[in-house]
Amino acid sequence: MPSQSVLVIGGGLAGLSSAVALAEAGLQVRLFEKRPHLGGRATSYTLPDGSEVDNCQHVTLGCCTNLADFYSRVGAAGKIRFYDRLYFVDAQGRRSTMEASPLPAPMHLAPSFLLFSSLNLADKRGIANAMMAIATAGGHPPGIDGISMLDWLQQMKQTPAAVERFWRVVLVSALDEELSRTDAHYGIEVFWKGFLANKGGYRVGIPSVPLAELYEGCRQAVLRRGGEVRLRAGIREIRVRRNRFEGIVMDDGTEISADACIAAVPHDTLLNLLPPEMAQENGPFSGLANIKTSPITGVHLWYDRTVMTEPFLTLLDHTTQWIFNKSLLYGAAETNAAAARQTLQSDQSFDAEADGQYLQLVISASYDLVLKSRQEIIDLCCRELAEVLPAAREARLRKATVIKEIKATFSPALGVDRWRPAQNTSVNNLFLAGDWTRTTWPSTMEGAVRSGYLAAEALLAASGEPRTFLQPDLPLEGFSKFWANRNGAES
Ligand SMILES: Cc1cc2nc3c(=O)[nH]c(=O)nc-3n(C[C@H](O)[C@H](O)[C@H](O)COP(=O)(O)OP(=O)(O)OC[C@H]3O[C@@H](n4cnc5c(N)ncnc54)[C@H](O)[C@@H]3O)c2cc1C
């Protein structure tokens, strides 16, 4: 086993997954995170009034195989509950659900889809044709290079209602970008992996505990093997000399050297840590400046009574896109995991809210909200909730919080893959991880974990001890498998 020392900069999912993988491989890992908690963007923290809130609701899908593997490695899998039924409501108050039937993939969702009350027959016919174009091409329909998702939907003759009430609803949430700005490859991949390739791909996984509680096992995994996890430990410089990583300089001036480094910070932060000649124009990392970001707004509302019965609800025709019933989702921990039960009992802020209801709303690609005041956003959301949840009309709002993440995710813009670097760099003992590196996945927890595993694999391969961490996708099923094989796609 190799015994080299590795520094990991950044304690988000990319840094954590690479650190855990390398520790398992026997390396001495030291992880540095500038914030007081682990998890990066996918974390939770305590507000001044004592309520613990997720930075924003984070959900996973059945097709996120590497995130599932990571949760298992760190003992957090039991804190994720999967839901087979999706709930929708439109401006007319019509409710629909989506769940798998016994039909084989890719037809498993067809019966729910046929009953979907917010779409008419022409909308559904168009959507079914486009879905079949993806499925029969094994996930790779022709003619999608260099076009936006909206261009492709127009080519596929989708009705305006189908675009607004189906494609946009799914894709803006999954990719955090408007259809006109989304590369068609990214949009089509969401439907292939999530809805068509395997019957379990669409299942929604939601933590039944605050996000930060998922990561305690990471620290243990690193410490158990003689490593170190340091919080409030910001790095201000990565030192490179003669094309070799030499060490880091911490914010307090401390210099630390190691055999290798994985930089797992956001792409724009990395540019500030690297030697200027590497980050500036024509330098090997200058392309990172072309990766754009898009915003997500999370709105937390505490009502004085129960206003919603579903665990979560997708809104059509509204600014609010998802409502998560946090009281119920955390309550689900009661039957889910003893660890979660312990957390709920010891958390005073949740006890105090026991007679009311805590909801978390998510608005992706929330460009229109960036300049709005917090109060304007709360008022808008409360109006929308009153439209779709009649009980909210009489309810009193006890408190509310808005969290605007301006740079929430990288934008899956046309051609973005050109700027996403591999985990290997031109500096032979410096590796990159982060959802923005080349993983083929959009900016997601799954993408971040993939990048961490790939960075760990690259580092071990470079030191002559190759190991595999990356997990395969869900197996292709049913007709999707047949069509993919016919088209020569990988299973
Ligand atoms: C509002 C919101 C909602 C989202 N919803 C979902 C969702 O539902 N499902 C999903 O799959 N994904 C979702 N995402 C995306 C997901 O959170 C990210 O893709 C993923 O967490 C990125 O992980 P990462 O490790 O690449 O980056 P980060 O999580 O950004 O981690 C980078 C880490 O580096 C640290 N750092 C930065 N600079 C330094 C420094 N100088 N020294 C030391 N440490 C440093 C940061 O503090 C941070 O902890 C959402 C993101 C946001 C913002």
Side-chain angles (χ1 to χ4, degrees):
M1 273 293 169
S3 59
Q4 58 174 324
S5 59
V6 181
L7 304 182
V8 175
I9 311 174
L13 278 161
L16 290 172
S17 53
S18 61
V20 168
L22 291 175
E24 275 183 21
L27 275 67
Q28 205 223 342
V29 179
R30 300 178 74 187
L31 183 145
F32 297 83
E33 165 55 50
K34 79 168 181 199
R35 294 199 192 134
H37 40 248
L38 296 175
R41 279 168 274 165
T43 196
S44 54
Y45 40 79
T46 308
L47 295 177
D49 72 358
S51 317
E52 182 152 17
V53 294
D54 288 346
N55 181 38
C56 186
Q57 179 66 58
H58 275 63
V59 305
T60 179
L61 292 178
C63 58
C64 296
T65 51
N66 285 275
L67 183 61
D69 174 78
F70 171 71
Y71 285 146
S72 297
R73 281 178 200 266
V74 301
K79 299 176 186 173
I80 311 294
R81 181 171 172 174
F82 277 87
Y83 295 82
D84 295 330
R85 183 179 296 164
L86 314 182
Y87 305 83
F88 301 84
V89 62
D90 67 17
Q92 286 77 48
R94 290 176 297 200
R95 283 174 142 72
S96 306
T97 55
M98 210 44 118
E99 62 191 305
S101 69
L103 292 176
M107 266 73 87
H108 52 292
L109 294 170
S112 299
F113 177 65
L114 285 173
L115 296 174
F116 199 84
S117 56
S118 306
L119 297 167
N120 69 25
L121 207 59
D123 306 329
K124 289 179 187 173
R125 199 180 312 121
I127 293 168
N129 285 341
M131 289 291 209
M132 286 305 282
I134 300 173
T136 54
H140 303 285
I144 59 172
D145 289 345
I147 64 168
S148 75
M149 191 64 193
L150 190 61
D151 292 336
W152 187 73
L153 294 174
Q154 282 163 352
Q155 281 177 20
M156 298 305 292
K157 302 201 180 347
Q158 300 299 292
T159 64
V163 172
E164 273 308 302
R165 292 180 154 187
F166 181 76
W167 298 100
R168 187 172 184 281
V169 168
V170 174
L171 289 177
V172 170
S173 305
L175 297 174
D176 188 26
E177 191 51 285
E178 287 299 342
L179 300 179
S180 57
R181 285 196 272 242
T182 297
D183 192 311
H185 281 277
Y186 279 83
I188 285 165
E189 193 76 349
V190 168
F191 281 94
W192 173 241
K193 292 218 163 105
F195 291 87
L196 300 168
N198 179 293
K199 288 177 73 165
Y202 80 100
R203 298 173 70 229
V204 172
I206 305 183
S208 50
V209 295
L211 285 166
E213 291 179 27
L214 299 173
Y215 309 120
E216 189 47 38
C218 302
R219 192 198 313 266
Q220 300 303 335
V222 172
L223 299 188
R224 239 189 339 265
R225 287 155 176 106
E228 185 185 6
V229 174
R230 288 178 67 175
L231 303 178
R232 295 190 177 86
I235 305 307
R236 69 166 192 231
E237 198 181 323
I238 295 175
R239 290 219 166 126
V240 176
R241 211 160 139 253
R242 292 207 197 98
N243 228 24
R244 276 198 72 76
F245 163 79
E246 285 208 328
I248 54 173
V249 183
M250 297 182 65
D251 284 346
D252 66 7
T254 310
E255 296 180 21
I256 300 173
S257 58
D259 298 322
C261 175
I262 294 184
V265 295
H267 65 280
D268 47 355
T269 305
L270 179 66
L271 287 174
N272 297 325
L273 302 185
L274 289 166
E277 65 279 9
M278 302 186 79
Q280 69 204 11
E281 220 180 326
N282 300 325
F285 293 87
S286 60
L288 295 182
N290 295 301
I291 301 178
K292 304 279 180 285
T293 56
S294 40
I296 299 180
T297 301
V299 182
H300 302 251
L301 303 175
W302 286 264
Y303 282 98
D304 67 346
R305 68 196 72 179
T306 298
V307 298
M308 171 175 174
T309 51
E310 297 89 347
F312 51 88
L313 188 58
T314 307
L315 273 62
L316 314 181
D317 319 314
H318 290 85
T319 299
T320 307
Q321 293 155 358
W322 286 74
I323 312 173
F324 292 90
N325 181 346
K326 296 295 278 185
S327 299
L328 189 72
L329 295 167
Y330 285 156
E334 292 294 334
T335 52
N336 210 26
R341 185 157 57 240
Q342 182 60 41
T343 307
L344 280 169
Q345 282 167 353
S346 63
D347 189 328
Q348 294 307 310
S349 64
F350 288 120
D351 286 350
E353 308 294 336
D355 55 337
Q357 194 171 43
Y358 167 32
L359 305 180
Q360 215 250 270
L361 284 49
V362 182
I363 304 153
S364 297
S366 57
Y367 294 100
D368 293 346
L369 300 185
V370 169
L371 295 178
K372 281 202 191 322
S373 73
R374 286 179 160 65
Q375 192 56 51
E376 283 176 302
I377 295 171
I378 292 165
D379 292 345
L380 169 73
C381 291
C382 286
R383 275 198 306 278
E384 294 196 338
L385 258 59
E387 282 170 33
V388 298
L389 303 173
R393 291 170 202 160
E394 305 299 324
R396 191 171 65 82
L397 190 63
R398 281 182 173 153
K399 63 181 184 191
T401 293
V402 176
I403 301 175
K404 292 186 195 175
E405 275 274 12
I406 308 298
K407 295 186 193 176
T409 66
F410 76 80
S411 168
L414 265 176
V416 69
D417 283 350
R418 185 173 159 211
W419 309 115
R420 294 179 73 183
Q423 288 73 30
N424 279 304
T425 71
S426 53
V427 179
N428 46 28
N429 54 346
L430 174 65
F431 302 86
L432 305 179
D435 58 359
W436 48 273
T437 59
R438 198 176 301 151
T439 66
T440 75
W441 271 67
S443 181
T444 51
M445 298 185 287
E446 169 73 8
V449 171
R450 280 179 180 245
S451 78
Y453 284 176
L454 287 168
E457 287 181 4
L459 190 153
L460 289 168
S463 49
E465 298 281 345
R467 251 182 95 153
T468 302
F469 297 103
L470 198 70
Q471 302 299 308
D473 288 338
L474 289 180
L476 298 174
E477 289 180 343
F479 294 104
S480 295
K481 180 175 181 175
F482 169 77
W483 286 318
N485 288 342
R486 192 187 58 187
N487 286 288
E490 287 168 20
S491 62

